Amino acid sequence: MTRVKTYFISLDVIDSTNTWVKEHHDSLDPKSMTCVSAEGQLQGRGRGKKSWSSPVGKNLYVSLYTTRKAPYLHLPHLAQVLSFSCAQVLLKEGIPIQLKWPNDLMIREKKCGGVLVEVISSQESLGLVLGLGLNVNMEEEELKGIEIPATSLKIETGKVWDKQKLLEKITERFIADLQLLDMQGFAAFLPHYEKMLIHRNGDPFRGGKYRGLSGEGGVLIELTSGKIITLFNADEGRTDLESP
Ligand code: BTN
């Protein structure tokens, strides 16, 4: 593994770490990995234009920044790989973590983290902004505003976690996984990633049945007609879906 220089920038309360990186990337080293974290976010963003609950001092709100030459073939898999890296670290800590396709971090069927990848495009290079939100020490009371079943490491394990230590471990693991992705593509992750998924063959999945993963990490869905379709992006509209 090649050694990658890593910088940690810790900020107080800002709007969003992803937004901060997009505004400041010119001053960040493109060759290294920069890990920007905030104590709180006033406008934390999730996938699908949702907001991300970001109470001060409780959780990890992080954006990892690095660059790759364009075109970068593995772009569609970055979010899956980051959620996988994070899940591997949490598994090692004894947390029964699973992934909900493509990149939600789940404990006992409740969401405790997610990934939002954004790209800064210029002619030759792509700035990769890899946002990770992980509910670490959030209390039950603070989860009430979240509209889906959600949890935190503290609620699930009954102990307070050191956010910085977790962040360092996740960053280190992700740097190694990113190198593997660069060299071998998502195929190297597929069986390990699939094992982490919460979905089982035949489970109801978006109006059809879950039938596993395609070689590219898309999800195979069997429609009621028996037709199998592949979904690559969780936010994609399903134009071919039959009425339930
Ligand atoms: C999701 O919807 O599952 C993705 C959530 C991603 C949230 C993180 S928190 C750090 C970074 N900054 C943001 O505004 N969003 C991401």
Side-chain angles (χ1 to χ4, degrees):
M1 195 179 95
T2 321
R3 235 184 124 68
V4 176
K5 209 170 163 59
T6 310
Y7 296 99
F8 288 90
I9 300 177
S10 309
L11 303 169
D12 196 5
V13 179
I14 56 168
D15 48 358
S16 143
T17 56
N18 269 31
T19 307
W20 190 93
V21 169
K22 289 205 274 181
E23 287 169 358
H24 295 84
H25 69 100
D26 278 345
S27 57
L28 305 177
D29 179 0
K31 294 220 155 47
S32 58
M33 181 67 78
T34 304
C35 178
V36 178
S37 61
E39 274 303 298
Q41 299 184 121
L42 299 171
Q43 286 175 47
R45 296 184 284 111
R47 282 192 298 117
K49 301 205 169 83
K50 294 198 188 95
S51 62
W52 186 258
S53 175
S54 311
V56 179
K58 297 285 174 167
N59 300 327
L60 274 181
Y61 316 113
V62 185
S63 298
L64 295 162
Y65 174 76
T66 190
T67 63
R68 288 292 181 273
K69 264 199 200 135
Y72 179 58
L73 293 180
H74 309 302
L75 197 59
H77 293 121
L78 282 172
Q80 280 170 310
V81 170
L82 178 54
S83 65
F84 175 81
S85 306
C86 183
Q88 291 301 311
V89 168
L90 297 177
L91 257 191
K92 274 205 183 138
E93 300 288 335
I95 296 168
I97 194 94
Q98 287 185 297
L99 296 174
K100 184 171 166 198
W101 186 89
N103 38 243
D104 284 350
L105 290 140
M106 312 290 290
I107 307 176
R108 300 184 186 104
E109 306 201 351
K110 292 181 181 171
K111 182 160 171 171
C112 70
V115 172
L116 175 68
V117 170
E118 297 180 289
V119 176
I120 306 161
S121 305
S122 70
Q123 257 183 356
E124 280 136 40
S125 86
L126 299 174
L128 310 176
V129 186
L130 310 155
L132 169 71
L134 181 65
N135 298 344
V136 181
N137 294 320
M138 218 172 178
E139 310 285 349
E140 200 82 62
E141 194 59 30
E142 291 162 313
L143 293 167
K144 286 204 174 127
I146 303 177
E147 72 230 9
I148 53 165
T151 192
S152 72
L153 305 190
K154 178 167 183 231
I155 291 167
E156 297 300 324
T157 62
K159 71 169 199 179
V160 175
W161 289 79
D162 184 328
K163 290 185 289 152
Q164 189 58 30
K165 272 201 193 133
L166 278 178
L167 178 56
E168 283 164 19
K169 288 180 186 173
I170 293 166
T171 305
E172 191 185 331
R173 171 77 200 219
F174 178 68
I175 288 173
D177 284 341
L178 184 57
Q179 288 186 19
L180 185 63
L181 182 70
D182 284 344
M183 286 182 305
Q184 297 182 24
F186 192 66
F189 293 86
L190 202 63
H192 312 288
Y193 170 83
E194 193 161 17
K195 245 194 247 162
M196 303 287 305
L197 287 179
I198 205 162
H199 318 290
R200 294 289 164 257
N201 190 18
D203 279 357
F205 196 101
R206 309 220 186 168
K209 281 184 182 155
Y210 176 80
R211 289 293 183 216
L213 294 182
S214 74
E216 286 81 37
V219 72
L220 302 173
I221 304 173
E222 184 183 334
L223 304 180
T224 44
S225 62
K227 185 181 167 197
I228 307 255
I229 59 154
T230 311
L231 190 66
F232 287 103
N233 178 348
D235 299 325
E236 246 168 38
R238 288 273 314 279
T239 47
D240 52 351
L241 235 180
E242 297 165 346
S243 344

